Amino acid sequence: MRSIRTAAAVALIATLTACGGATSGAGEDKPSAGAKGTVNLAINPWVGYEANAAVIAHLLEKKMGYTVEKKELKEEIAWQGFETGEVDTIVENWGHPDLKKTYIEDKKVAVDVGPTGNQGVIGWYVPQWMADKYPDITDWKNLNKYADLFKTSESKGKGQFLAGDPSFVTNDEALVSNLKLNYTVVYSGSEAAIIKAAQQASAQKKPLLFYFYEPQWLFAKEKYVRVKLPEYKEGCDADLKKVACDYPDYVLDKIASKKFADGNSTAYQLVKNFTWTNDDQNLVSDYITNQGMSDEKAAEKWVNEHEATWKPWIPAGS
Amino acid sequence: MTATVPPPPVLQPGGRVLGTALDPPAPSRRGRVRSRTVAAVLLVLTVAAYLLFRTDGAADSSDAASFRFFDSVRDWVDANRDTSPFFLYGFNYVRLGVRLLVDTVHGALTGLGFAGLVAAVTAIGAVLAGWRTGLLALGGFLAFGVLGLWEESVDTLVLTLSAVLLSVLIGVPLGILAARVRWVGATLRPVLDVMQIMPTFAYLAPMTLLFLIGEPAAVIATMIYAVPATIRITALGISEVPPTAVEAATALGSTRWQLLGKVRLPMARTTIALAVNQTIMLALSMVVITALIDAPGLGQNIVNALQRVNVGAAFDAGVAIVILAVVLDRITTGAARRTRLHRPARQRRTRWIVAGAALAGVVLIALVPVRETDLPAYSFAAPVNDLVGWIELHWYDVTEGLKNGISAGVLDPLETVLVTTPWWLFVAAVAAFGTLISGWRAALIAALAAAGPAALGLWQHSMQTLATVLVAIVITMAIGVAIGVFCARHDRLATGIRPLLDAAQTMPSFVYLLPAVALFGASRFTAIVAAVIFAVPPVVRLVERGLRDVPPTVVEAALSAGSTPRQLLWKVQLPMARGGLLLAANQGIVMVLAMVVVGGLVGAGALGYDVVAGFSQRELFGQGLAAGLAIVLLGILLDRLTQGFHHSKRPRG
Amino acid sequence: MTPMIEIAALWKVFGPRADRVVGTPLADLPRAELRARTGCLAAVRDVSFDVRPGEVFVVMGLSGSGKSTLVRCLTRLIEPTSGDISIGGESVRAMNPKRLRELRRRQVAMVFQHFGLLPHRSVLDNVAYGLEIQGRSRAERHRRAAETLALVGLQEHEHQYPDQLSGGMQQRVGLARALATDPEVLLFDEPFSALDPLIRRDMQDEVRRLHAEVGKTLVFITHDLAEALTLGDRIAVLRDGELVQVGTPEDLVGAPADSYVADFVRDVPRSDVLTLRWIMRDPAPGELCEDEPLSHRTVIRDAVHRVLRAERPIAVVDGTERLGVIDADQLLPALISHHRQVPV
């Protein structure tokens, strides 16, 4: 009896070994990187990213004949998609040195495809009226003095610092504790929720201290003032738990999966060539958010009006 | 006609199957007095201990041992995904297989084309459940096109069907085994309990760890969510087969397999059809949530709407989900009902002919070059957004006042008390009160579950979540019992409200966040509101049923003794419906917990936020996984305490 | 004539480690005490009897007397604890599962109190079930099932479903199902106790008629004495799992083995059951009798008319042998010894 069982086990293992096992990328050979196929475009949850993606998708579909599959994914998860083949490219990446190390250097499933041309800024902001009324509020050293102004139902008796989507690049909790600020970080859950709160704070003159970033269309409509945090120095954010300095400036870039890059299709070349200014992006974001246009309509409008900008992105022979 | 048809099993909305609840005998008077004294003493002791030992409620460390452990697990998996035999020959193959299944189902459905699929669903509805359902299916599927959500709806349908297929393949045999083999049943029971308490949210991260993101992980997560119902209801159906029929068939010399194939399965088929129905409903609500791990479909629209706080867009997707749910529900319950009808052979033959004709029709219609884009388009987005805007503008003071009032008046004090309670005191209190209300066995499990979060290093967050959950439960029960009592006493109201409850229960938890967040912004109160909306319908249902189950003879007796309606309610109906009420509380708690955790997406913070952050930020992965575990432990804690309450009042010893 | 069924020293003990009871002093304990001491319930205690071919053998007892357990032990639907059972000369307890299935499929069929019909099958398919699991062809089993249904008078109903039939008709289906496999032995477990009294009587007639027509060996379980007396060639009385008495109806009524049986049969109109043999007296020397004698098998009631009209005692004979005489003095006490009419 035992010998039969042993034999069966050996046979099973032999079969499996002969098959060589399945790697994580197996079974994902969709014709993505091939000729005129499908491009899997990750969509990260803020409207600026959407603007980049909308324009790229529009060009790929309408001008170059690709099919674009848009995937609503948070940043981390989009990076995981490089490994599984779910994602071909991310078109606005904010830093993420840890992810770059994992996926580009260690796993070698992704490559850096160069800057988008946008300059990224992350910081702490207050509405203009607060800066007018309390001029010294824009220095972090004075924030504790005004903590009472920012109290809300969620802030546990301290001042509220309103953060965004948990997936965003943030050091806020570490900053609050390391700078010994009498504040509680409250997550609104999304960009839209921060924008809503910021608009309300401006319109109804309500106190608000919040996480925000550029490029961002809202700055074209209303004024917000950045609070000065201790100056950023190279490496001061190396240990995320001990950060006590401001956010660095970011050169936003594009990432593609290794497979997509190696295919070197015209779609990949378009992504590689894509580069525009903060104003360009804010314009499209504004179309999407405030003019009630769908992503497609907004992209179409921008593309129709800015041929000079996008013409050079289109690779020769496509 | 119905003499030998087994009654439909009693289902909880979560798909949990209840046995027949025997009315526990009332405890003796002396016992009751004694346990009251003990409770009072315990209460005083707990308060005294709290006042003596309360802590300053220091925040949780962000670097607990458990987080590091889970992080190291993640790192190991990441490093070995393509080398370890567990993955090479295990998980990766599972992923490939599921991917193949999804692709096959997707190919089959999209291969029909728009017209073909609409025709096919209509025909299936008509053949299985009658022409009315066929028309409903036709209208419903056309509506997906009208709403501009055709592809998304089909994607959601594909994932749901794939998950249901897997659930049935795994769940039905397991259900049969659980009913027939005692140790299998005994082993499965606690496992299924935990699976059903587990909030959907908590196992998304482990899924991505094992199966990465995408459709396979989504289908497997959905399957895990739905399969307990398949197993439980199938087991119930098999064990409810009348022993006389089995004995008669045995006496005629049936083999075991003949008994299974010719007696047990056919006699349980109505119940098994119901199991499939429940599985579909559960799978549908879960599939939507898996949008967070890159599953395509309507869930993506909801996630998107959530990110843009666009209630109108979510409304469209929500409508599509409800339509899909209603169509699938009607078809499967119709099919289940048909299994009970007996029709003469001639009629059965006609049905085959009809089915054949329908098939031919579908093939013909599939050739018609109509596309979903040819339909007129309509969206609820604009009017709904206008309405939301109006409410935001005009009700701002009311909503803000409500939020601040409840947060400051109830939530904060409760949270402070819980957070400043030393963990050992909390565990001791759970153990003591648990023993009192649920017996030592349940109390032991509850106490262990209570100690878990402390061991995981998430004590503060767990207590904050618990505070939110408790407040939400109190509100849910207050509203649910009030409406339930009302429905039980006014038949017309009950009939009017039932379709609403049906629709509400088919909505995935997720959808409720949007109106709440539009009205109340990002806060814990938002999660409470969403949880209340989510949990009230089943509570209403259970309370109403509990009240209606009070034997009419007792009501008659009370009325003839001269009770006023109020006396009847308080002295007869509510006490006699105690079982139903406790069940409602138990079920409400499980659902509230699930929703409060999802509230982490909209500023409810604590454990829910940890989970969300865990799968959005690499360095927080370990904390997220630990938080998921803590949520499960909280669920077990609450469930054991209340379930014990339900079962324990039997004389001990 | 070899018996069809032989039961010898049969025990069935339910409960933990039930096999330790039989053959030890524990076995002699009364039921309640055994239960208190060991937690075991002796449902059948040391039962032995034979059933002859073609006989209607009734097992009678109150509920809880072990009669249903006893009948299930015959085909090991319940596994006996100890003792011997043989059917057609073959030991049932020695059978392997395959042989046991054969026994159930071809030799012994059973009719149940709650019918045990399969609600998802038509009447015809219910009756054909036994043949179906034997692997007979569809045409053959349907032909045979239709024949059997005709035998019980249900030929009009073969395409209906069990829940469309009345209780009595359902039990006819159960009967037809048992007959369809043409078994040698039919076991009835209180088949009519769930039916209305009138229908019950119809069904009893039906069983008598079928027994006359097909001539099977019948083992019939009932708690109804009247039913037992009507149907049984012989009756076994069971109390607390033990056999109290086995005998013909007359034996039971005329000579109850103990007070339990006597109590049971107290209300039976003796004149309806007992024959003249039980009340005749020896003739006085030189006593003159009526010309026409009465057979000793005549039931008392049937003799009333003649005896009361006669001027002289009437001789009771077995063939030509004179066994005794009877006159009104013997007859009248037998007629008034009960006060309630029991429906038969």
Side-chain angles (χ1 to χ4, degrees):
Chain A
M1 194 60 212
R2 173 180 294 171
S3 65
I4 295 175
R5 220 175 290 162
T6 318
V10 168
L12 182 68
I13 291 169
T15 325
L16 288 174
T17 321
C19 292
T23 57
S24 55
E28 306 289 351
D29 293 327
K30 289 184 176 172
S32 58
K36 303 275 177 188
T38 304
V39 178
N40 294 302
L41 197 54
I43 308 289
N44 287 168
W46 57 92
V47 70
Y49 186 106
E50 247 185 275
N52 288 25
V55 168
I56 289 175
H58 181 84
L59 292 174
L60 284 174
E61 289 195 320
K62 297 287 144 55
K63 306 287 175 194
M64 297 165 66
Y66 283 89
T67 312
V68 174
E69 191 85 36
K70 288 187 181 176
K71 306 199 162 188
E72 299 277 346
L73 296 171
K74 308 216 174 206
E75 292 161 85
E76 286 273 343
I77 299 175
W79 279 82
Q80 289 179 28
F82 290 138
E83 190 176 5
T84 63
E86 305 267 339
V87 169
D88 289 329
T89 180
I90 291 175
V91 294
E92 179 179 300
N93 175 56
W94 287 68
H96 290 303
D98 55 331
L99 294 175
K100 283 185 174 166
K101 179 169 183 325
T102 306
Y103 290 99
I104 296 181
E105 287 172 32
D106 296 350
K107 300 197 168 197
K108 298 190 177 22
V109 291
V111 292
D112 193 326
V113 201
T116 64
N118 295 133
Q119 297 301 312
V121 176
I122 298 178
W124 290 15
Y125 292 82
V126 290
Q128 180 68 44
W129 72 265
M130 289 194 89
D132 296 344
K133 195 167 172 187
Y134 315 102
D136 60 347
I137 203 170
T138 54
D139 188 333
W140 69 272
K141 293 193 187 88
N142 301 316
L143 281 176
N144 278 346
K145 192 166 80 182
Y146 295 107
D148 278 353
L149 283 178
F150 298 106
K151 264 189 197 167
T152 69
S153 70
E154 301 308 299
S155 61
K156 298 172 188 153
K158 303 178 183 177
Q160 168 178 288
F161 175 86
L162 190 68
D165 185 312
S167 69
F168 289 169
V169 177
T170 62
N171 302 329
D172 304 326
E173 298 217 38
L175 282 168
V176 164
S177 91
N178 295 335
L179 296 176
K180 307 213 164 31
L181 297 175
N182 192 23
Y183 282 78
T184 305
V185 179
V186 174
Y187 290 88
S188 64
S190 66
E191 179 190 49
I194 311 185
I195 292 178
K196 205 169 197 172
Q199 283 174 319
Q200 265 175 3
S202 280
Q204 304 175 14
K205 297 231 179 321
K206 285 199 292 182
L208 182 71
L209 175 65
F210 61 108
Y211 170 99
F212 219 33
Y213 41 86
E214 288 183 72
Q216 168 60 257
W217 60 268
L218 188 60
F219 287 109
K221 310 253 159 187
E222 280 150 7
K223 292 253 171 300
Y224 299 92
V225 182
R226 192 168 172 192
V227 175
K228 282 191 207 66
L229 295 170
E231 201 183 329
Y232 175 81
K233 290 200 188 65
E234 186 70 37
C236 75
D237 58 354
D239 184 346
L240 291 172
K241 302 210 158 90
K242 294 187 183 141
V243 182
C245 60
D246 208 343
Y247 291 92
D249 288 343
Y250 293 90
V251 172
L252 305 188
D253 52 6
K254 298 157 289 185
I255 314 289
S257 76
K258 187 85 170 29
K259 212 192 289 174
F260 186 52
D262 289 349
N264 201 25
S265 60
T266 49
Y268 169 72
Q269 288 170 30
L270 174 86
V271 172
K272 199 172 161 138
N273 296 340
F274 171 87
T275 165
W276 64 354
T277 64
N278 284 15
D279 288 342
D280 286 322
Q281 193 196 67
N282 283 341
L283 186 59
V284 179
S285 302
D286 185 50
Y287 290 161
I288 295 173
T289 318
N290 300 313
Q291 322 242 341
M293 286 186 214
S294 67
D295 290 9
E296 292 77 23
K297 284 266 154 43
E300 188 179 348
K301 185 167 157 69
W302 185 88
V303 164
N304 286 340
E305 291 164 3
H306 296 80
E307 184 155 356
T309 315
W310 59 262
K311 204 79 211 186
W313 303 342
I314 306 287
S318 72
Chain B
M1 273 304 280
T2 52
T4 48
V5 174
V10 182
L11 299 179
Q12 282 185 31
R16 217 187 296 193
V17 180
L18 308 166
T20 35
L22 293 172
D23 251 10
S28 73
R29 196 178 166 72
R30 232 176 63 209
R32 206 182 303 166
V33 171
R34 205 186 54 199
S35 71
R36 272 199 196 151
T37 326
V38 174
V41 171
L42 273 181
L43 197 65
V44 171
L45 275 180
T46 314
V47 171
Y50 169 72
L51 291 175
L52 267 177
F53 296 109
R54 85 181 132 173
T55 67
D56 55 356
D60 290 329
S61 151
S62 57
D63 192 31
S66 72
F67 308 168
R68 280 202 301 271
F69 170 74
F70 286 124
D71 274 335
S72 69
V73 169
R74 191 262 323 265
D75 290 342
W76 183 88
V77 170
D78 262 355
N80 294 287
R81 193 187 302 286
D82 287 341
T83 48
S84 158
F86 284 117
F87 282 89
L88 281 182
Y89 304 112
F91 296 115
N92 293 351
Y93 269 119
V94 173
R95 196 166 132 259
L96 280 179
V98 177
R99 152 87 55 209
L100 188 68
L101 173 71
V102 174
D103 286 347
T104 312
V105 176
H106 191 263
L109 292 196
T110 50
L112 288 168
F114 169 71
L117 184 53
V118 171
V121 175
T122 310
I124 291 172
V127 171
L128 286 183
W131 61 271
R132 260 175 242 264
T133 308
L135 281 185
L136 182 80
L138 175 67
F141 271 62
L142 286 179
F144 297 149
V146 172
L147 287 168
L149 293 169
W150 175 256
E151 273 176 36
E152 291 86 344
S153 304
V154 171
D155 281 341
T156 296
L157 182 62
V158 166
L159 290 184
T160 307
L161 290 184
S162 306
V164 169
L165 216 62
L166 277 185
S167 300
V168 169
L169 280 180
I170 295 172
V172 169
L174 273 182
I176 294 170
L177 273 180
R180 299 293 310 137
V181 184
R182 185 173 309 179
W183 67 263
V184 175
T187 323
L188 273 177
R189 201 168 308 121
V191 176
L192 296 182
D193 277 348
V194 172
M195 281 169 85
Q196 290 190 313
I197 298 166
M198 199 147 64
T200 51
F201 227 48
Y203 48 82
L204 291 181
M207 281 300 115
T208 60
L209 185 63
L210 295 178
F211 300 106
L212 301 165
I213 57 168
E215 286 146 329
V219 167
I220 292 167
T222 307
M223 196 266 296
I224 294 177
Y225 181 66
V227 83
T230 330
I231 298 176
R232 285 220 142 116
I233 304 175
T234 303
L236 181 75
I238 294 289
S239 58
E240 270 185 347
V241 169
T244 53
V246 175
E247 191 178 42
T250 314
L252 286 164
S254 307
T255 63
R256 280 158 158 266
W257 287 105
Q258 284 171 334
L259 278 181
L260 182 65
K262 291 176 189 285
V263 181
R264 288 204 169 95
L265 277 180
M267 287 182 76
R269 68 187 166 167
T270 305
T271 314
I272 292 177
L274 269 175
V276 174
N277 169 270
Q278 284 291 304
T279 309
I280 290 180
M281 294 296 109
L282 290 169
L284 184 57
S285 69
M286 182 69 195
V287 155
V288 175
I289 294 174
T290 57
L292 286 174
I293 53 172
D294 189 30
L298 293 165
Q300 291 276 356
N301 296 60
I302 304 230
V303 172
N304 193 312
L306 201 58
Q307 259 143 21
R308 289 165 189 72
V309 197
N310 184 344
V311 182
F315 193 85
D316 280 348
V319 168
I321 292 167
V322 170
I323 291 175
L324 190 56
V326 169
V327 170
L328 292 177
D329 180 50
R330 289 297 137 79
I331 292 180
T332 45
T333 44
R337 204 169 305 126
R338 293 240 155 168
T339 61
R340 294 189 201 175
L341 295 182
H342 311 306
R343 28 193 83 246
R346 197 170 345 111
Q347 254 191 58
R348 254 179 296 166
R349 220 169 301 133
T350 337
R351 253 178 82 200
W352 279 113
I353 296 169
V354 170
L359 186 68
V362 168
V363 171
L364 275 181
I365 295 172
L367 297 175
V368 177
V370 181
R371 291 196 47 76
E372 67 274 13
T373 41
D374 299 335
L375 293 171
Y378 181 78
S379 166
F380 294 97
V384 170
N385 279 337
D386 288 348
L387 178 70
V388 170
W390 186 86
I391 293 176
E392 272 173 19
L393 199 64
H394 293 88
W395 290 11
Y396 181 80
D397 290 337
V398 180
T399 54
E400 203 64 1
L402 195 61
K403 173 169 85 175
N404 291 337
I406 292 203
S407 298
V410 185
L411 195 49
D412 286 343
L414 181 62
E415 195 175 302
T416 312
V417 168
L418 285 174
V419 162
T420 53
T421 305
W423 70 267
W424 53 264
L425 177 59
F426 181 78
V427 172
V430 165
F433 285 103
T435 311
L436 206 59
I437 45 182
S438 313
W440 66 271
R441 224 180 283 258
L444 182 67
I445 298 175
L448 285 177
L456 287 169
L458 284 165
W459 183 248
Q460 303 296 317
H461 285 186
S462 301
M463 288 303 107
Q464 286 162 5
T465 298
L466 183 62
T468 315
V469 168
L470 291 178
V471 172
I473 286 165
V474 170
I475 301 178
T476 303
M477 285 308 287
I479 298 178
V481 171
I483 302 182
V485 166
F486 232 66
C487 285
R489 313 179 96 201
H490 304 280
D491 286 342
R492 199 173 300 168
L493 181 74
T495 7
I497 227 169
R498 201 161 295 136
L500 257 179
L501 295 182
D502 281 342
Q505 281 190 257
T506 50
M507 282 275 211
S509 53
F510 226 45
V511 177
Y512 294 111
L513 283 180
L514 264 137
V517 85
L519 289 180
F520 298 101
S523 70
R524 289 164 300 168
F525 187 66
T526 310
I528 292 181
V529 170
V532 170
I533 307 177
F534 182 54
V536 157
V539 170
V540 168
R541 215 164 250 211
L542 290 170
V543 169
E544 187 193 343
R545 204 183 66 205
L547 286 175
R548 284 185 187 273
D549 282 352
V550 172
T553 50
V554 176
V555 175
E556 233 167 39
L559 282 177
S560 68
S563 310
T564 64
R566 173 179 290 263
Q567 286 171 328
L568 182 68
L569 180 68
W570 285 101
K571 295 191 182 298
V572 179
Q573 288 173 311
L574 283 181
M576 287 192 74
R578 208 184 93 217
L581 292 179
L582 291 172
L583 190 58
N586 174 260
Q587 183 63 25
I589 285 171
V590 173
M591 295 185 72
V592 160
L593 176 66
M595 193 68 211
V596 163
V597 172
V598 178
L601 284 173
V602 293
L607 293 180
Y609 169 77
D610 293 337
V611 170
V612 181
F615 57 75
S616 9
Q617 296 273 10
R618 195 171 172 76
E619 65 269 21
L620 297 179
F621 181 89
Q623 184 171 1
L625 220 55
L629 200 56
I631 291 165
V632 175
L633 291 173
L634 273 189
I636 294 174
L637 163 70
L638 292 167
D639 178 73
R640 279 303 105 178
L641 284 184
T642 49
Q643 271 236 315
F645 201 45
H646 184 56
H647 291 301
S648 70
K649 291 262 162 125
R650 285 181 208 123
R652 277 166 217 142
Chain C
M1 191 161 50
T2 51
M4 190 59 165
I5 302 172
E6 288 178 272
I7 309 282
L10 186 72
W11 281 82
K12 174 64 201 178
V13 183
F14 290 107
R17 299 199 291 125
D19 49 339
R20 77 196 143 150
V21 174
V22 183
T24 66
L26 282 175
D28 299 329
L29 292 174
R31 231 188 200 190
E33 200 174 324
L34 177 69
R35 176 147 227 188
R37 290 254 302 260
T38 65
C40 287
L41 176 74
V44 176
R45 302 168 66 114
D46 197 17
V47 168
S48 308
F49 60 80
D50 294 344
V51 181
R52 301 178 202 120
E55 184 179 26
V56 180
F57 188 88
V58 175
V59 178
M60 199 198 66
L62 299 177
S63 62
S65 61
K67 56 193 189 304
S68 286
T69 307
L70 173 62
V71 76
R72 280 168 175 72
C73 284
L74 296 186
T75 55
R76 285 168 57 193
L77 286 175
I78 290 177
E79 201 62 51
T81 310
S82 75
D84 291 318
I85 304 161
S86 68
I87 294 179
E90 189 179 355
S91 168
V92 175
R93 293 200 67 201
M95 289 177 181
N96 63 17
K98 191 155 177 271
R99 175 70 191 98
L100 184 62
R101 266 203 306 276
E102 276 310 297
L103 174 84
R104 291 172 181 171
R105 284 180 179 182
R106 299 180 198 279
Q107 283 170 272
V108 185
M110 192 157 167
V111 179
F112 294 87
Q113 178 178 11
H114 297 293
F115 322 143
L117 300 181
L118 305 177
H120 57 284
R121 288 166 164 257
S122 67
V123 165
L124 190 70
D125 281 327
N126 258 292
V127 175
Y129 181 84
L131 301 162
E132 183 181 330
I133 59 173
Q134 293 177 14
R136 308 282 190 85
S137 76
R138 193 184 165 84
E140 183 192 348
R141 61 183 196 246
H142 276 180
R143 185 180 50 72
R144 173 76 189 132
E147 280 170 23
T148 325
L149 275 172
L151 201 62
V152 299
L154 282 180
Q155 56 273 51
E156 301 294 312
H157 300 278
E158 44 185 50
H159 293 298
Q160 284 182 300
Y161 283 80
D163 56 8
Q164 296 166 319
L165 303 179
S166 69
M169 284 155 92
Q170 289 191 38
Q171 193 56 296
R172 279 171 204 262
V173 177
L175 195 55
R177 177 175 63 184
L179 288 171
T181 52
D182 196 23
E184 296 153 31
V185 178
L186 282 170
L187 308 177
F188 290 80
D189 179 29
E190 301 206 40
F192 309 139
S193 53
L195 303 178
D196 293 341
L198 285 179
I199 298 169
R200 195 184 311 163
R201 198 155 56 190
D202 281 352
M203 293 299 292
Q204 286 162 359
D205 292 344
E206 187 80 24
V207 168
R208 261 198 300 245
R209 182 177 67 79
L210 284 172
H211 182 241
E213 278 179 30
V214 298
K216 312 275 184 199
T217 306
L218 267 53
V219 176
F220 198 103
I221 307 293
T222 183
H223 65 262
D224 178 357
L225 179 67
E227 189 168 76
L229 295 174
T230 327
L231 293 175
D233 291 329
R234 284 190 304 149
I235 300 170
V237 180
L238 215 56
R239 179 178 58 169
D240 288 353
E242 277 179 294
L243 213 50
V244 184
Q245 185 172 10
V246 182
T248 61
E250 271 187 276
D251 292 339
L252 254 59
V253 175
D258 64 3
S259 60
Y260 178 76
V261 182
D263 219 24
F264 233 114
V265 300
R266 197 183 58 199
D267 291 337
V268 174
R270 301 163 65 81
S271 56
D272 289 358
V273 178
L274 295 187
T275 54
L276 297 178
R277 196 160 62 89
W278 294 89
I279 54 168
M280 67 193 183
R281 60 173 168 83
D282 294 332
E287 191 172 17
L288 282 174
C289 292
E290 292 281 322
D291 295 341
E292 192 89 341
L294 281 164
S295 159
H296 74 118
R297 289 215 180 100
T298 314
V299 174
I300 296 171
R301 192 180 50 190
D302 298 341
V304 170
H305 199 68
R306 276 199 61 203
V307 172
L308 293 185
R309 288 257 209 92
E311 289 162 14
R312 285 171 292 192
I314 302 175
V316 178
V317 296
D318 179 3
T320 52
E321 185 192 355
R322 187 153 99 168
L323 301 175
V325 296
I326 187 160
D327 61 19
D329 290 347
Q330 279 79 45
L331 197 80
L332 288 175
L335 280 176
I336 58 174
S337 68
H338 62 91
H339 37 83
R340 191 160 60 86
Q341 199 72 26
V342 176
V344 175

